[in-house]
Amino acid sequence: MKIRSAVVYTVLRLLAFLVPFGIMMLFPILREYYLLAAVFAALIGLSLSMLFLRRPLEDLSTGLAERRAGRRESAASDEDVEDAAADASADR
């Protein structure tokens, strides 16, 4: 996994929430109902991320899949080593 893709996606998701939340906090009525403003900002952020952040999410998930596939390959090689050691000790 590339750490850059994880950082970029995380920062963009945070901005997708914080910018609408900051704009809503400029309105006096929403200052009183900050929880409602947070819910609206979360919905707006979710919508924006679904529309505009597909590419960074794709990069992040591809990196995670590659990292997981690498772990599976190394786990298979560990099993092969263990099998070879067991066979060697059985032959003695």
Side-chain angles (χ1 to χ4, degrees), residues 9-67:
Y9 182 70
T10 303
V11 168
L12 290 175
R13 281 292 302 258
L14 284 172
L15 284 175
F17 171 76
L18 292 175
V19 169
F21 185 71
I23 291 171
M24 284 188 232
M25 286 291 104
L26 295 175
F27 297 110
I29 189 72
L30 289 176
R31 284 186 200 152
E32 292 179 29
Y33 302 109
Y34 61 89
L35 189 59
L36 186 63
V39 169
F40 286 149
L43 291 173
I44 292 169
L46 177 66
S47 300
L48 290 174
S49 66
M50 288 177 68
L51 291 173
F52 298 113
L53 298 181
R54 288 183 191 262
R55 178 71 180 190
L57 178 60
E58 218 172 84
D59 293 342
L60 179 64
S61 59
T62 302
L64 288 172
E66 289 171 357
R67 184 176 177 186

